[in-house]
Amino acid sequence: MESLRLVLQKKRIQIASLIFCISLALISVSCDIQQGMTNSLTSFYNGDPSLVRHLKYSKPDSDLIGTRFIVPRPDKLGVRVNLYFPKNTSSSPTPCVFNIHGGSFMEGSADLLDSQSARMSELCEAFVVNIDYCYADDRPIDYSVQEVTDTVLYFFQNAEKYNLDVTRFSVCGYSAGAYYAATAAVKLRKKGVRLFSQVLCYAYIGEIRADFLKMTSSQQSQVAPALFVVCSDDFLSESSLSYKMILDAKGVKTKTVRYSNARHGFIEVNNNEYTLTSAPSSFHQRSPKQQCYAREAETKIALWIRFLK
């Protein structure tokens, strides 16, 4: 009976993953067709709040905990980020964490992780860069991948200006954001930049497995150690563990933190900013119990980032 249950669960994960991949393919086609979105994207970068849609919640500047900044990119639109400086800092270079929100590639925002990014800055004793990447219905997903890698490279190249420790750069992503985090870890390694760690929370993995296996053995073994935060009864969490197995086989250090009763998105949704969106009552992940899991997960993520050897 138990064996049959496992088989059915695997089949359910495979079917759900297939549906998710088909959805992503349709998104990419849609992005190519909707050329008119470029003007809207340009307006958004000029700060037009009317373009905030889906869960693209934007805090008033006066309420924002972080500091708004646009990462400059030659011949490209800059990348919008929010910056968080740890309160207790020494003169020594500071670790850096790149925080990447989820939202099915088409929702969510950096501002929704404002208070969470501030907490992570203190917990990790790190400078946090909260990345506000483009939606997949504005630009292809590969465009946002480049936004993330360019952002990491900018702070890597300007580490002295921000007093950052380039040997302790970590990426931390949630769901779709975890896809960007894991992809950045692979692409940056190919460019000769090795991240200190990667944190992949209930991650969508997609083609990252194939991209990783195309690397040389030397590159594979030096991809950043990975912490997987997973929920039960969540096909993205379960399918992400196949990537963990690949990393393990190639000698990359990994660790899994499992929350049996947590729901997909629990780390993000249990922040006050989500109550200010247009449909806060729709978030079944919000509850005192889920919030407790979220805060515990943040602490475990911080311990991984701070004490990983």
Side-chain angles (χ1 to χ4, degrees):
M1 189 68 182
E2 184 67 25
S3 177
L4 178 60
R5 188 180 301 160
L6 290 173
V7 170
L8 291 174
Q9 184 179 12
K10 289 180 180 178
K11 288 294 183 184
R12 184 177 64 181
I13 291 171
Q14 290 171 352
I15 293 170
S17 297
L18 177 61
I19 293 171
F20 194 79
C21 291
I22 292 172
S23 298
L24 290 179
L26 291 173
I27 288 170
S28 297
V29 172
S30 176
C31 290
D32 292 336
I33 293 173
Q34 296 178 29
Q35 295 297 319
M37 295 300 292
T38 302
N39 292 335
S40 295
L41 181 63
T42 302
S43 297
F44 171 70
Y45 269 85
N46 287 335
D48 182 354
S50 67
L51 292 169
V52 175
R53 65 191 192 283
H54 303 302
L55 292 179
K56 184 63 176 180
Y57 171 72
S58 181
K59 270 189 169 182
D61 288 351
S62 58
D63 294 340
L64 192 75
I65 301 171
T67 301
R68 297 199 190 281
F69 179 69
I70 296 181
V71 175
R73 299 194 297 170
D75 304 320
K76 299 177 187 176
L77 287 171
V79 183
R80 292 176 66 119
V81 300
N82 296 336
L83 306 178
Y84 304 80
F85 301 83
K87 293 177 182 176
N88 299 319
T89 58
S90 65
S91 58
S92 301
T94 305
C96 184
V97 177
F98 297 87
N99 212 22
I100 312 171
H101 71 83
S104 303
F105 296 95
M106 295 190 295
E107 296 182 331
S109 72
D111 284 12
L112 283 171
L113 291 185
D114 185 39
S115 57
Q116 192 260 4
S117 294
R119 280 197 309 275
M120 292 303 292
S121 178
E122 298 307 314
L123 287 169
C124 298
E125 297 185 358
F127 177 72
V128 170
V129 180
N130 184 8
I131 303 176
D132 208 22
Y133 58 83
C134 289
Y135 289 154
D137 54 354
D138 284 329
R139 292 293 180 95
I141 288 174
D142 285 347
Y143 182 91
S144 298
V145 168
Q146 195 63 51
E147 285 186 302
V148 173
T149 56
D150 285 348
T151 297
V152 176
L153 286 172
Y154 170 81
F155 286 98
F156 188 87
Q157 293 161 0
N158 291 273
E160 185 174 351
K161 176 181 177 181
Y162 293 92
N163 193 31
L164 302 178
D165 182 352
V166 295
T167 68
R168 298 187 71 88
F169 273 34
S170 299
V171 287
C172 180
Y174 315 89
S175 192
Y179 170 85
Y180 289 130
T183 303
V186 169
K187 290 188 175 296
L188 288 166
R189 185 65 199 94
K190 289 179 179 179
K191 293 177 179 289
V193 176
R194 185 185 183 187
L195 295 174
F196 177 67
S197 75
Q198 53 183 319
V199 179
L200 310 178
C201 302
Y202 33 88
Y204 169 68
I205 294 300
E207 72 277 11
I208 298 171
R209 289 166 290 216
D211 290 345
F212 174 82
L213 292 172
K214 291 176 184 177
M215 301 169 73
T216 66
S217 296
S218 175
Q219 289 174 332
Q220 289 174 348
S221 64
Q222 294 185 47
V223 164
L227 174 66
F228 290 79
V229 178
V230 300
C231 315
S232 294
D233 295 324
D234 172 46
F235 75 90
L236 289 186
S237 288
E238 296 300 335
S239 61
S240 72
L241 295 181
S242 63
Y243 184 46
K244 178 188 182 299
M245 292 174 62
I246 292 173
L247 295 178
D248 289 339
K250 298 299 182 179
V252 177
K253 184 174 183 177
T254 68
K255 181 178 179 180
T256 302
V257 175
R258 180 182 291 275
Y259 288 90
S260 298
N261 297 309
R263 296 176 179 272
H264 186 93
F266 73 104
I267 296 176
E268 302 148 278
V269 172
N270 285 283
N271 290 292
N272 289 336
E273 288 84 358
Y274 273 79
T275 66
L276 303 174
T277 61
S278 58
S281 61
S282 67
F283 298 119
H284 61 281
Q285 306 97 322
R286 285 190 64 85
S287 73
K289 191 172 183 179
Q290 294 293 311
Q291 185 182 72
C292 183
Y293 294 146
R295 299 299 179 266
E296 181 183 318
E298 290 170 358
T299 299
K300 290 186 176 182
I301 290 169
L303 290 173
W304 165 268
I305 289 174
R306 288 180 60 187
F307 300 110
L308 175 67
K309 296 185 182 297

